[in-house]
Amino acid sequence: MEMSELTALLTPEGLRLLDATGPMDSAVDVARTITRLRKQGHSPDLVTAVVTQARLRAKGRVKFGEFAERMLFTRAGLEQATRLAIAARHAARFRDAGLTRVADLGCGIGGDALGMAGIGLEVAAVDADEVTAAIAAYNLAPFGDAVTVGHGTAETADLSAVDAAWLDPARRTAGHGETSRTRPDDWSPSLDWVFGLASQLPTGVKLGPGLDRDAIPDDVEAQWVSADGSTLELVLWSGATARPGVRRAALVMRGDTANEITAEADAEDEPARALGAFVHEPDGAVIRARLIGDVARSLSAGMLDERIAYLTSDAALTSPFVSSFRVRETLPADVKALSKALRARGIGRLEIKKRGVDVDPAALRTKLKLSGDEAATLLLTRIGSARVAILADRVAAA
């Protein structure tokens, strides 16, 4: 969105027009809406802004629920924004540490600031992109004087009146349009600057979950967060925001339910053992946090292979930190033999999962030529040097 479009939108006429614009589910709907609005005499900037925002609001419901209906977005801002349920947990970390005034340095469209202000924290937010900062100011306006939003950089922000900081370093190209990945050396502010601040002020830092672990300072708590099976972020907590005795954590959210496993350090893996009655796939946050061993011990399980993140056990146990499968049998890994075996068992609906093997599940599904009314899960992996196909059934989540 350009500033001219935002200026046209942030008027009583523009906002009324946006609120009156219904959902657009296809390119045809978009074209019809554009034609209709232009025939009504609205300016090109306003028409573009209204159509763009209507589509972004529809997408925003995934992260912000009903709040998206009164928010404004940029494409990049929505993509990078924290889900509101996770933002509320970030905010609670500051509140529980007795911190009340937080600087949001790189606030984006205001997702995390929304979570903080929602539980009564005061927020001083800044963003280096002018359009993004203006949109954040609009989204956070209902909180009045409790939230200030400015256009500026993290490095030049006045921190004299805050007792904590939250940062989401820009890990993509600057701006509010389409985004592309950048190298850590190009992040803004730099990690060196961020970690310097974190050593002086209680700080939470949102980073990508695949950050090189060697870059994590020794004196912070590292918390990996997943939601509905996708590992979304790594948050580093310093000072009063870090929990005593916790250096590794995996927060696993499924729907409205959240579970967390914590430890003082990386957990030692359990030894590999023979395939048992169950296979367990650890959540991505657990894998990233290197807490597979602690989860394995809770399930009386061992590694299926010491190099691959599958667990196996004979105990009829599951956990919020894994997806569990009851083993039916092992099948030939050869495609033709596997196809024949699946058809003989009447399996027409097949969930295909893989670890440690170079397989395209979509291409494999086509080659298998499935037929039948039965459903199952196929786990493709390696045990030692052998490729293994395990036919299994999902176990209900704990």
Side-chain angles (χ1 to χ4, degrees):
M1 176 181 286
E2 300 299 328
M3 182 57 76
S4 60
E5 295 172 6
L6 181 62
T7 300
L9 184 63
L10 290 179
T11 63
E13 175 196 14
L15 294 174
R16 280 196 300 268
L17 195 60
L18 173 59
D19 289 341
T21 300
M24 291 172 284
D25 299 322
S26 68
V28 173
D29 292 335
V30 172
R32 287 173 177 169
T33 301
I34 291 174
T35 299
R36 175 174 56 82
L37 295 180
R38 286 181 175 174
K39 284 183 177 179
Q40 292 173 359
H42 300 294
S43 71
D45 281 342
L46 179 55
V47 171
T48 299
V50 166
V51 170
T52 298
Q53 287 302 315
R55 300 194 76 183
L56 290 174
R57 279 183 170 182
K59 294 179 179 179
R61 285 196 291 267
V62 174
K63 290 187 173 182
F64 294 97
E66 61 184 18
F67 290 98
E69 299 302 325
R70 65 147 308 275
M71 297 176 68
L72 299 180
F73 301 98
T74 66
R75 290 185 180 91
L78 178 57
E79 179 184 342
Q80 297 170 31
T82 304
R83 298 187 187 199
L84 189 56
I86 297 175
R89 290 183 172 274
H90 294 160
R93 182 71 74 105
F94 292 107
R95 180 196 60 195
D96 294 347
L99 305 165
T100 60
R101 300 182 303 279
V102 182
D104 187 348
L105 306 177
C107 65
I109 54 97
D112 276 292
L114 187 64
M116 296 175 204
I119 63 169
L121 301 180
E122 296 179 24
V123 184
V126 298
D127 197 273
D129 181 72
E130 185 178 13
V131 171
T132 303
I135 285 177
Y138 175 84
N139 291 338
L140 296 165
F143 296 100
D145 295 340
V147 179
T148 61
V149 181
H151 173 216
T153 65
E155 297 92 333
T156 59
D158 180 5
L159 303 180
S160 60
V162 302
D163 52 19
W166 172 260
L167 294 103
D168 182 0
R171 297 183 293 280
R172 304 166 190 265
T173 52
H176 45 269
E178 300 300 327
T179 63
S180 60
R181 294 289 180 181
T182 60
R183 301 172 303 161
D185 291 346
D186 298 326
W187 293 357
S188 178
S190 70
L191 280 187
D192 285 343
W193 186 90
V194 170
F195 292 156
L197 178 65
S199 69
Q200 303 171 36
L201 191 69
T203 299
V205 186
K206 176 183 171 182
L207 299 166
L211 180 76
D212 183 351
R213 291 169 62 94
D214 290 340
I216 300 174
D218 293 334
D219 59 348
V220 303
E221 175 190 333
Q223 180 191 48
W224 282 263
V225 182
S226 71
D228 300 324
S230 297
T231 308
L232 301 177
E233 64 185 36
L234 162 64
V235 183
L236 303 181
W237 300 101
S238 77
T241 66
R243 292 169 291 188
V246 176
R247 285 295 177 263
R248 298 290 181 263
L251 175 62
V252 177
M253 302 184 66
R254 298 186 187 278
D256 296 329
T257 302
N259 291 276
E260 189 176 30
I261 182 171
T262 64
E264 294 184 5
D266 295 354
E268 183 178 352
D269 287 342
E270 282 292 288
R273 53 153 291 177
L275 176 64
F278 296 89
V279 172
H280 309 281
E281 180 184 37
D283 184 88
V286 173
I287 296 172
R288 293 284 189 182
R290 294 187 183 170
L291 298 179
I292 297 174
D294 286 347
V295 172
R297 286 180 278 278
S298 74
L299 298 170
S300 300
M303 303 294 291
L304 188 58
D305 180 282
E306 63 183 11
R307 298 162 298 176
I308 296 174
Y310 276 141
L311 305 173
T312 187
S313 70
D314 288 312
L317 300 171
T318 187
S319 156
F321 304 111
V322 299
S323 296
S324 295
F325 306 87
R326 184 185 296 274
V327 175
R328 290 194 197 181
E329 58 185 316
T330 57
L331 296 176
D334 174 75
V335 174
K336 289 184 178 180
L338 180 58
S339 176
K340 182 178 179 181
L342 293 171
R343 289 199 306 272
R345 288 155 180 77
I347 296 173
R349 291 174 288 123
L350 187 68
E351 175 188 26
I352 301 175
K353 303 185 72 66
K354 58 138 186 175
R355 283 194 185 278
V357 292
D358 184 13
V359 173
D360 179 346
L364 176 61
R365 188 185 308 279
T366 300
K367 294 177 182 178
L368 291 175
K369 299 177 182 178
L370 301 170
S371 177
D373 298 327
E374 297 297 316
T377 297
L378 185 68
L379 305 168
L380 299 172
T381 188
R382 287 189 177 274
I383 301 178
S385 60
R387 184 164 165 168
V388 180
I390 303 169
L391 190 65
D393 297 297
R394 271 192 178 267
V395 176

